[in-house]
Amino acid sequence: MKKFKTESKRMLDLVINSIYTNREIFLRELLSNGSDAIDKLYYKGLTEGLTGLTRDDFYINIQLDKENRTLKITDNGIGMTAEELENNLGTIAKSGSFDFKNGNEGQNADIDIIGQFGVGFYSAFMVAKKVEVLSKAYGQDKAYLWTSSGADGYEIKESEKESNGTEITLYLKDNTSEDSFDEFLEEYKIKELVKKYSDYIRYPIKMLVTSFEYEDNTEGEHEHDENCECEHDENCECEHEHEHYSPKEVKKEQVLNSMTPVWRKTKAELSEGEYEKFYKEEFYDMQDPLRCIYTQAEGAVDYKALLFIPKTIPYNYYSKNYEKGLKLYTAGVMITDKCADLLPDYFNFVKGVVDSEVTLNISRETVQQNRQLKAIKNSLEKKIKSELNQMAKNDREKYEQFFENFGTSIKYGIYQSFGMNSEGLVDLLIFKSAKTGKYITLQEYIDNAKEDQKTIYYASGKTVEACKALPKLEAVLEKGFDVICLTEDVDEFCLKMVGKYKEFEFKSYEAEDVGETVETVIDSGVKDAIMEVLKDKIVNVKLSNNLKNHPVSLTSEGELSIEMEKVFAKMPNVNQPMKAQKVLEINAEHQVYEKLKQTLGEDREKFDDIVNILFDQACLISGLEVEDVTGLTDRIFKLIV
Ligand code: ADP
Ligand code: MG
């Protein structure tokens, strides 16, 4: 027996124990090798003008033998000579495929060699105690058998094989109390693994698959009741009816892989609804996607991608275990199920696949160079933005559906990056207009703005109705300004980050001076007294005559609005939540103002109590919490008795 070279021995240990996180990938590796071997022969045929080699004759075969616990993978590719067996399988980290690819660079043939590191083959030892490789090189008479039981070494001897190609037999490891290898003898498991990793290998991967057929064995076998008078025909009513049909196990050859991925098909090859069907199967959704996006790039970045926007929110979207990411394929082989680096967080709802020749790390489970992923990500990001923009323009109904499901994610994207990502994303925002109750983009707001208008007005509330019921809002609308309704917590924060949209500043509708509701001058004695009582809580007191029925209300000065204060108050783990600079507005037309003036002269203590109560009331009306609830109830009680 020949020993593996020393480094090889250590390497083999590494392969078996450390490189791969998942032993099931051995199948992917062996099938990839088969595909490479066929590619090489096909390429040889092309370049050397060999006749009789057509794509359709090539295949890879998987055979399962439960009795002997073997799994056999056969290809009719280029095969290996004794020397090649020695070089390629006797030296770990030696890749014949890599050399082949390098040797034939620039020839631009239609081949897609997968191998490059020269370790994939040894992953077989993660599941097999012994591996046999019977191979006959194309155009040679002699076949050779390579045998190894792992780290100790290998043997090569002459053998018999009818035609060119390679047949690899894995003798599966014995089951232990912790570990069973039996699943690799199950048809369903093999089918699943081929689908998962090797679905787009370009040659058919065939296997005999068991099914049951119900055979009509009315003839002869039917043991007939003496008294039965039937002629074994349909009308027979004798007790043996069930025996007319018995299940029979049949094995039929099936092609397990789809070969051409949908995203590599040309328009002409695609059938109606094929993208949608692919989406539903691949991403376990019952519904068609809201939108399919096919895109490809060549040059600095090279990829094909098929992306989808789901119609509804994925069931686990808001749960901790929702993972964003796209499936990454290279040379028809799946590398990562969810490559998170391909999508920005704010497009975390996008599903899909990317097919690209990226540089892989040795386990071929991750990508080596993040630079490549970054370039693809940037390119995809642009594409998604432009698709969404188009949808907003041309297919508004769908877009609104999209935005109601996933718009929040985009708003958070703008907010969390402090507005740095806002380019392109801001155009995707839509808000309900207080004027029409319909969604509008910021551009549409501007398009309908008044001549000298340089402000986008907003109002915050739980719903559009709540916004419209805000004091003064009606008056702002009547002046001809539209107001966008901010109904989500993140909205105001998001707009604060954006700052401006095309020279239009975002401002609360309250900033608009509403002509007919000018402030009435507040009695300075009353004002000073109120400020004294509420000195830590407010920054100003005003008299106002547009509060409808409310005796008092709160507005804010400065950056932070009352709505934003509420959001901060809700955040967990914030010790000192930020507070708005509040202005207490007193309804000039309400009798409460007269009462205040009167009380101030008569009973200062009562005045203080009333002011405190009014402030707490204003907080409640604004949806803020009352800080000192017992204080409030005590004061009310004092007034009652
Ligand atoms: P890689 O595929 O990365 O080159 P492997 O360890 O999977 O590394 O395989 C090592 C080499 O063995 C391959 O490069 C190839 O030259 C040869 N080889 C493996 N399997 C086959 C096969 N089925 N037919 C022909 N050559 C093969
Ligand atoms: Mg390989």
Side-chain angles (χ1 to χ4, degrees):
M1 179 173 6
K2 286 204 176 182
K3 301 246 182 216
F4 285 114
K5 315 241 155 61
T6 2
E7 308 79 43
S8 298
K9 234 180 120 169
R10 237 184 297 137
M11 190 76 183
L12 187 54
D13 244 22
L14 259 178
V15 173
I16 301 174
N17 301 312
S18 324
I19 291 185
Y20 299 104
T21 48
N22 199 345
R23 66 183 186 190
E24 69 187 21
I25 59 87
F26 82 90
L27 191 66
R28 174 191 81 176
E29 292 300 324
L30 297 181
L31 293 172
S32 302
N33 284 350
S35 168
D36 281 353
I38 294 172
D39 259 354
K40 287 175 201 167
L41 182 55
Y42 177 72
Y43 179 79
K44 192 180 167 74
L46 285 182
T47 49
E48 293 173 22
L50 304 175
T51 49
L53 289 179
T54 56
R55 269 232 133 106
D56 298 343
D57 299 333
F58 293 120
Y59 64 87
I60 300 170
N61 198 325
I62 304 176
Q63 258 173 287
L64 305 175
D65 182 343
K66 277 191 181 171
E67 223 163 280
N68 297 308
R69 290 176 52 80
T70 61
L71 189 155
K72 211 178 265 201
I73 296 165
T74 316
D75 67 70
N76 57 357
I78 197 154
M80 281 177 277
T81 62
E83 198 188 341
E84 283 166 338
L85 279 168
E86 170 87 43
N87 283 341
N88 296 334
L89 303 187
T91 323
I92 301 171
K94 166 110 181 80
S95 169
S97 293
F98 183 76
D99 297 344
F100 176 88
K101 201 159 38 175
N102 275 1
N104 296 299
E105 218 146 28
Q107 312 252 1
N108 212 8
D110 182 21
I111 53 168
D112 225 346
I113 298 286
I114 304 161
Q116 53 179 329
F117 296 114
V119 296
F121 169 78
Y122 303 96
S123 65
F125 288 104
M126 292 193 292
V127 298
K129 56 182 177 188
K130 182 171 113 185
V131 178
E132 283 176 0
V133 181
L134 175 62
S135 196
K136 187 174 183 182
Y138 181 82
Q140 303 280 313
D141 302 328
K142 285 186 180 155
Y144 294 90
L145 180 68
W146 180 99
T147 313
S148 170
S149 301
D152 288 342
Y154 59 94
E155 259 172 28
I156 298 175
K157 44 181 197 209
E158 216 180 298
S159 186
E160 296 288 319
K161 189 175 182 307
E162 216 167 276
S163 52
N164 64 284
T166 304
E167 181 184 296
I168 300 175
T169 310
L170 309 186
Y171 294 82
L172 292 187
K173 287 186 179 175
D174 300 326
N175 297 330
T176 65
S177 48
E178 289 118 54
D179 229 354
S180 165
F181 295 87
D182 289 347
E183 58 178 352
F184 300 119
L185 295 167
E186 296 293 344
E187 289 170 8
Y188 80 88
K189 185 68 188 177
I190 299 301
K191 278 166 118 174
E192 178 192 310
L193 292 180
V194 171
K195 270 275 167 225
K196 182 166 174 191
Y197 295 106
S198 312
D199 203 28
Y200 306 120
I201 289 289
R202 304 192 301 168
Y203 303 98
I205 300 169
K206 299 177 181 176
M207 185 171 78
L208 284 178
V209 177
T210 314
S211 62
F212 290 95
E213 272 180 10
Y214 289 85
E215 217 182 48
D216 180 352
N217 49 11
T218 352
E219 295 294 313
E221 278 166 42
H222 171 77
E223 275 197 23
H224 204 52
D225 190 313
E226 287 293 84
N227 306 320
C228 173
E229 311 218 313
C230 83
E231 297 280 5
H232 315 304
D233 62 13
E234 287 159 352
N235 304 325
C236 171
E237 282 175 8
C238 86
E239 296 289 299
H240 310 290
E241 201 171 358
H242 59 282
E243 287 175 12
H244 290 207
Y245 297 94
S246 62
K248 200 173 128 213
E249 210 180 271
V250 283
K251 293 207 180 245
K252 279 196 186 143
E253 191 171 77
Q254 246 183 40
V255 174
L256 307 184
N257 54 332
S258 344
M259 292 187 273
T260 314
V262 275
W263 62 87
R264 286 203 178 197
K265 289 190 179 175
T266 60
K267 276 233 165 72
E269 286 170 321
L270 273 175
S271 54
E272 168 93 28
E274 211 172 333
Y275 281 167
E276 285 81 0
K277 184 169 163 275
F278 171 76
Y279 166 78
K280 286 190 275 194
E281 282 174 9
E282 200 72 21
F283 300 103
Y284 312 107
D285 198 343
M286 315 267 275
Q287 302 187 65
D288 281 349
L290 189 69
R291 192 158 179 111
C292 308
I293 305 171
Y294 174 78
T295 173
Q296 63 179 75
E298 262 169 66
V301 265
D302 227 313
Y303 68 83
K304 291 183 168 59
L306 183 56
L307 309 178
F308 303 95
I309 297 172
K311 193 172 273 173
T312 51
I313 300 173
Y315 73 96
N316 60 348
Y317 188 61
Y318 290 113
S319 77
K320 251 213 255 148
N321 47 22
Y322 180 82
E323 285 175 74
K324 67 161 182 170
L326 300 173
K327 276 193 189 204
L328 178 65
Y329 283 84
T330 186
V333 182
M334 192 193 77
I335 306 302
T336 346
D337 204 18
K338 281 224 169 88
C339 186
D341 295 338
L342 288 169
L343 282 178
D345 281 343
Y346 47 83
F347 288 153
N348 63 358
F349 48 84
V350 175
K351 311 254 181 190
V353 292
V354 171
D355 188 348
S356 178
E357 294 291 316
V358 287
T359 323
L360 301 173
N361 82 344
I362 197 163
S363 68
R364 305 210 285 133
E365 286 167 352
T366 48
V367 178
Q368 187 129 66
Q369 285 177 320
N370 264 345
R371 191 173 45 83
Q372 290 173 314
L373 286 185
K374 240 196 179 119
I376 300 176
K377 175 184 169 184
N378 288 341
S379 170
L380 288 178
E381 201 179 321
K382 269 196 209 127
K383 177 71 185 173
I384 298 170
K385 277 183 194 167
S386 91
E387 283 279 328
L388 289 173
N389 259 314
Q390 273 179 25
M391 196 158 123
K393 283 201 188 84
N394 309 329
D395 202 346
R396 183 50 80 84
E397 203 179 314
K398 257 194 187 172
Y399 187 75
E400 288 175 5
Q401 197 184 346
F402 153 75
F403 201 83
E404 287 187 343
N405 287 335
F406 303 114
T408 316
S409 185
I410 293 176
K411 293 172 185 171
Y412 271 105
I414 295 173
Y415 168 58
Q416 278 162 349
S417 66
F418 304 105
M420 253 143 40
N421 282 326
S422 34
E423 213 190 303
L425 288 185
V426 180
D427 296 308
L428 297 179
L429 299 176
I430 50 174
F431 297 99
K432 287 251 171 91
S433 140
K435 205 190 248 172
T436 62
K438 289 192 178 130
Y439 277 117
I440 52 169
T441 62
L442 296 174
Q443 184 60 50
E444 286 159 356
Y445 182 98
I446 288 180
D447 292 345
N448 292 311
K450 287 174 64 166
E451 201 154 322
D452 293 323
Q453 194 178 342
K454 277 284 165 261
T455 311
I456 296 178
Y457 290 113
Y458 61 78
S460 302
K462 281 219 161 58
T463 58
V464 176
E465 289 65 41
C467 290
K468 288 179 84 165
L470 288 167
K472 253 166 75 169
L473 192 117
E474 198 64 38
V476 175
L477 292 180
E478 270 164 25
K479 271 185 87 177
F481 297 108
D482 196 359
V483 175
I484 54 174
C485 300
L486 307 186
T487 51
E488 274 195 296
D489 282 355
V490 66
D491 284 343
E492 216 174 324
F493 292 90
C494 170
L495 293 189
K496 278 262 149 39
M497 289 302 171
V498 178
K500 255 184 182 182
Y501 183 75
K502 304 193 176 166
E503 304 305 309
F504 278 65
E505 253 184 279
F506 294 105
K507 277 193 191 154
S508 166
Y509 76 97
E510 292 165 307
E512 176 58 29
D513 203 352
V514 192
E516 71 270 24
T517 57
V518 278
E519 282 168 30
T520 319
V521 181
I522 186 167
D523 179 288
S524 68
V526 175
K527 180 174 171 170
D528 291 347
I530 291 176
M531 285 306 289
E532 203 185 308
V533 179
L534 298 175
K535 55 183 174 301
D536 301 328
K537 297 176 176 161
I538 59 171
V539 293
N540 205 358
V541 194
K542 283 181 185 168
L543 211 52
S544 162
N545 54 8
N546 50 38
L547 296 184
K548 293 183 187 160
N549 301 321
H550 298 315
V552 282
S553 91
L554 286 179
T555 54
S556 66
E557 278 179 10
E559 282 296 288
L560 208 69
S561 72
I562 306 274
E563 286 305 311
M564 290 165 100
E565 176 175 327
K566 279 191 239 171
V567 176
F568 280 121
K570 269 194 280 181
M571 284 182 187
N573 311 323
V574 180
N575 286 336
Q576 280 192 308
M578 304 232 264
K579 302 249 172 190
Q581 297 186 309
K582 301 184 188 74
V583 177
L584 182 68
E585 293 198 8
I586 300 172
N587 192 340
E589 279 142 28
H590 199 283
Q591 65 194 56
V592 74
Y593 182 50
E594 285 310 313
K595 186 80 186 169
L596 275 171
K597 278 202 279 194
Q598 189 194 335
T599 326
L600 181 59
E602 292 169 0
D603 183 348
R604 182 59 205 254
E605 196 189 320
K606 191 172 176 187
F607 175 84
D608 288 3
D609 283 343
I610 294 175
V611 169
N612 272 311
I613 290 173
L614 286 175
F615 175 75
D616 286 344
Q617 277 185 345
C619 286
L620 289 172
I621 291 168
S622 301
L624 291 169
E625 270 184 38
V626 169
E627 270 175 25
D628 178 10
V629 178
T630 22
L632 173 64
T633 48
D634 285 352
R635 283 181 204 111
I636 294 175
F637 188 67
K638 250 163 93 184
L639 285 183
I640 296 172
V641 293

